Every structure is written in structure tokens, then in C-alpha cells.
């Protein structure tokens, strides 16, 4: 069974920074793209950033553009999310996710197109 494990969440003040990490455990897998999603209480899960390993293309939600940076290592399917200038509205559980290679090269910010998920890490930003 493929598992992804996130770390790096915590409680910070507005304006602070955090760096989330994600690493696979369990069965190995191949992927052409990964992403970070978040879900706040009472809201739907949304993609905040995605990366396509081929060409290292990155995609961001408008709400985090210019503040968050996604990066990682294709060979190890490890993923990072550098979050700067955090705001209270960034408070959510953050999930790492990966698309199986069978889905091909194109990227996606649709959670339905991701096959492997982590358990989530809580990020809380106080004002």
C-alpha cells in the first residue's frame, strides 16, 4: 500500500513561514505529478499547489500565488511546500497527494485525479 507522510505543520503567527515536507512510505510508486491540498473546517478540499515532474511545471491557487512555493525530488517522490507570509485564512489541514504514472504527464489541481494521499498535517495561523 502506498502511503505519503506529511510533516512540518504547526501553530504560527500571521506573517510567519512554515515548510511542509512529504515523503512516501510503504509500496513504491511512480508519478509524473504531485500536489498540496488543504481543507479548512466546513470547506471543500482545494489544491494550493501542484507540480509536474516533466519540465518541473508548477501551478498555484490564486490565494497563495507569490507566497507559497512547491518543490521536490522526482526520483524519490518527495515534496515540499514553502509557505511565507502566512495568513489566518491559510489555517487548514494540508495534504500531500500524488498522481499515479498511469494518468500520464498532464498536471491537475483536481483532487479526484490524485491516487495517493497523506494523512494531513495541521497548519494554524493566528492573527
Amino acid at each position: 500500500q502506498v502511503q505519503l507522510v506529511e510533516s512540518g505543520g504547526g501553530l504560527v503567527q500571521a506573517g510567519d513561514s512554515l515548510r511542509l515536507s512529504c515523503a512516501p512510505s510503504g509500496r513504491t510508486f511512480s508519478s509524473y505529478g504531485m500536489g498540496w491540498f488543504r481543507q479548512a473546517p466546513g470547506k471543500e478540499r482545494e489544491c494550493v499547489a501542484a507540480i509536474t515532474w516533466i519540465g518541473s511545471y508548477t501551478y498555484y491557487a490564486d490565494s497563495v500565488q507569490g507566497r507559497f512555493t512547491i518543490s521536490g525530488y522526482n526520483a524519490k517522490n518527495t515534496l515540499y511546500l514553502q509557505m511565507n507570509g502566512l495568513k489566518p485564512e491559510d489555517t487548514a489541514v494540508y495534504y500531500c497527494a500524488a498522481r499515479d504514472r498511469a494518468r500520464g504527464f498532464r498536471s491537475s489541481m483536481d483532487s479526484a485525479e490524485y491516487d495517493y494521499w497523506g494523512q494531513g498535517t495541521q497548519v494554524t495561523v493566528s492573527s
Side-chain angles (χ1 to χ4, degrees):
Q1 181 178 356
V2 174
Q3 291 181 317
L4 298 173
V5 180
E6 304 96 336
S7 61
L11 172 62
V12 298
Q13 294 186 335
D16 285 352
S17 297
L18 277 177
R19 186 177 191 239
L20 304 184
S21 299
C22 171
S25 66
R27 183 173 65 85
T28 60
F29 66 98
S30 294
S31 173
Y32 291 131
M34 297 182 71
W36 286 99
F37 292 74
R38 69 184 181 188
Q39 187 165 20
K43 295 188 177 181
E44 294 188 355
R45 187 172 298 189
E46 63 170 344
C47 182
V48 296
I51 186 167
T52 301
W53 297 128
I54 304 298
S56 295
Y57 293 110
T58 57
Y59 307 86
Y60 298 95
D62 290 343
S63 59
V64 306
Q65 180 75 46
R67 299 189 296 122
F68 290 10
T69 302
I70 188 172
S71 63
Y73 295 101
N74 181 13
K76 296 184 177 181
N77 282 322
T78 54
L79 194 67
Y80 305 100
L81 185 68
Q82 178 67 41
M83 304 185 294
N84 298 330
L86 283 162
K87 304 175 180 180
E89 51 264 43
D90 294 319
T91 295
V93 177
Y94 283 72
Y95 299 90
C96 168
R99 291 163 52 83
D100 189 87
R101 186 179 65 176
R103 292 188 180 270
F105 297 116
R106 67 179 181 84
S107 67
S108 177
M109 298 186 76
D110 183 348
S111 62
E113 297 189 0
Y114 284 76
D115 303 285
Y116 311 118
W117 291 84
Q119 80 291 346
T121 185
Q122 177 70 47
V123 172
T124 303
V125 184
S126 64
S127 58

